[in-house]
Amino acid sequence: MRALLLAILILVPACSPQAAGGATSSAAATATTAVHPTSGLEVIPLKITTPTGKAHAFRAEVARTPQEQAKGLMFRTEMGADEGMLFPYARPQLLSFWMKNTVLSLDLIFIGEDRRIINIAANATPYSETPIPSDGPGIAVLELNGGRAAQLGLVPGSKVEW
């Protein structure tokens, strides 16, 4: 009987409004925060709208730290058509990427402070150590599968939202 009473007392706080609110908030946070199964990086929705108004939605892994950015998509052998990796920076700067240890051909989309595409380096060559620069100061780079930007009609001036 004492064990039953103890079990009931332990469960009561879980039914209180505060506990229920905490559980709901936690569940909502989990529903909106996705993690990529391979990289372990946060996955966020990202949308690109062309100057003609055509919009396309992506799910982007976010490489925030210098360590995450240094690894990027190295050694990855596949990525979905509507997936990508976003490399955000705290302040606008000239950006340069390379394809060292990157198996996939990628489109590198350089994004300016106004969140518009500055330039696109299409179909970057896997494993190349040749620097691929932005045409101006950027706040982010989005990597997509090689050729995807052209398929979707993405061009400089397209708006990127995340």
Side-chain angles (χ1 to χ4, degrees):
M1 180 71 166
R2 191 176 285 204
L4 180 58
L5 182 58
L6 182 60
I8 291 171
L9 289 175
I10 289 172
L11 292 176
V12 169
C15 297
S16 71
Q18 185 176 16
T24 302
S25 298
S26 177
T30 302
T32 59
T33 304
V35 174
H36 193 274
T38 303
S39 68
L41 297 176
E42 176 186 12
V43 177
I44 63 167
L46 183 142
K47 180 173 81 169
I48 302 178
T49 305
T50 67
T52 62
K54 184 178 175 187
H56 194 83
F58 296 92
R59 302 286 297 159
E61 298 168 61
V62 183
R64 295 187 195 283
T65 69
Q67 296 80 10
E68 292 168 347
Q69 292 179 349
K71 183 175 180 187
L73 288 167
M74 285 183 178
F75 308 109
R76 293 274 287 275
T77 57
E78 62 183 8
M79 184 167 59
D82 295 326
E83 296 178 348
M85 184 173 282
L86 182 68
F87 298 76
Y89 296 90
R91 59 179 177 73
Q93 57 191 292
L94 291 175
L95 300 167
S96 183
F97 275 54
W98 64 358
M99 298 289 290
K100 182 178 180 178
N101 297 321
T102 305
V103 179
L104 302 169
S105 175
L106 298 173
D107 288 347
L108 282 71
I109 299 174
F110 295 93
I111 304 164
E113 190 171 15
D114 60 357
R115 298 219 177 175
R116 294 195 179 277
I117 295 175
I118 300 168
N119 65 297
I120 300 170
N123 298 301
T125 305
Y127 301 105
S128 174
E129 294 185 24
T130 302
I132 302 168
S134 61
D135 286 347
I139 61 161
V141 176
L142 175 65
E143 294 180 338
L144 301 176
N145 284 312
R148 192 72 172 127
Q151 287 174 347
L152 297 173
L154 306 181
V155 295
S158 297
K159 182 75 173 166
V160 185
E161 299 173 81
W162 70 88

